[in-house]
Amino acid sequence: MKKEELTMKKELAWDKYDEKELKDVFALSDRYKAFMSQCKTERECVSEFIKRAEEKGFKDLDKIVEKGESLRPGDKVYANNMGKTLAMFVIGKESLEKGLKILGAHVDSPRLDLKQNPLYEDTDLAMMETHYYGGIKKYQWVTLPLAIHGVFVKKDGTSVNVVIGEDENDPVVGVSDLLIHLSADQLDKKGAKVVEGEDLNILVGSMPIKDKEAKERVKNNILVLLNEKYGIKEEDFVSAELEIIPAGKARDCGLDRSMVMAYGHDDKVCAYTSFEALMQIEETDKTCVGLFVDKEEIGSVGATGMQSRFFENAVAEVIDRVEGYNDLKLRRCLTNSKMLSSDVSAAFDPNYPSVMEKRNCAYFGKGIVFNKYTGARGKGGCNDANAEYMAEIRAIMDKHNVSWQTAELGKVDQGGGGTIAYILAQYDMEVIDCGVALHNMHAPWEVASKADIYETMRGYHAFLLEA
């Protein structure tokens, strides 16, 4: 063997594209940008995925169960959990006991949530209180145009969807910051304290109602406007889920248009590429699954998080419809499954080289990133994938000419992070983290390489074909 064949060198994916494939790279990113501009919350993502899946022949698993219908190879079904979590199945030819091929991503992203009693007036200004969701640098969320997305659920059970700030004719809201002229004390604070959580209140109005005798005239004007448009009252905030997120569309980034800047790449970039990969599967040996979950950013807790029993229950229902359920079949199915935990990683940033170790970090343009382990300081809390599984994944990627790279999440003692991988690994299945590398992770606007988005979709598709 020649010496150069012994050395591992990862080339830029851009160098392998011919003119046709380059068009495919940009076409995928155009579809992705359109999705990201429309689907900024977990509810919006799940709703859009269901709409598109039904157009491709997917049926509601609940209706299949209700009618007592059977499932056969090639059938496509989905299970919807409270409008925030979604499991999609393409039924394979082999027994479900032999396992599933799972792509699992999350569709929640860091943001500000409105408190349950958010609206108040102070010095003739109408404000709304927020509670931040997930890991954010709070100072990044001031002086930005922000939009309101979410739902009011009234006492009679009717739901009212809300999107304010995305149409070019819509107003936006925002969090104020101190002017530089009066910021001497603020600038002496540590970054974590420059802006504190209780100060992330959004400004929503300054015009009073005409009645000069009324109390809180500006607040009341906001309530009048909301009632006129959405038919809601102040008490309806108690049963609302309203998210405050950056206003505006996903955009091409870079003078060469080689990147995408968007809110919520983490982790919608992996959710969308997983969805596109699954939509290409018509026939399969083992059953293929797309799993899109909520609450990852706060520990995967709650009824719509990965730690709930939703996925396990959905698999049990599928087994029952395909071949008849028993507990041993379910356990064998999950143990024999293989999963790609589709989640983002951190890309090397030349502005901040000190936090990365260059031989073991991800780079823009070098393809899908495999994180054998994530965790923090001593691999704490991580899923550490088996070497045998990593070898299998390598072989699949190389067979399909997918550009891939491996990475850690920063230097050993610098920090770290986690995903849903460890939760699925509790079933004794093979799991590895993989996805798109980002700049500005968890910031209001994140950046990803179009080549990496394309290679990630191709890598997910290759996995569904070969694993």
Side-chain angles (χ1 to χ4, degrees), residues 64 75 96 196 219 222 273 287 312 317 358 362 386 418:
I64 298 290
D75 284 346
L96 286 158
E196 301 201 40
K219 171 185 172 180
I222 296 299
T273 47
T287 295
E312 183 178 323
E317 293 285 6
K358 284 189 174 183
N386 293 320

Side-chain angles (χ1 to χ4, degrees), residues 350-380:
N351 279 335
Y352 305 99
S354 64
V355 299
M356 296 288 190
E357 191 264 291
K358 284 189 174 183
R359 290 176 54 82
N360 288 284
C361 67
Y363 295 89
F364 272 0
K366 294 192 176 182
I368 185 172
V369 183
F370 289 94
N371 290 88
K372 187 177 184 295
Y373 46 84
T374 53
R377 299 179 181 86
K379 300 185 180 180

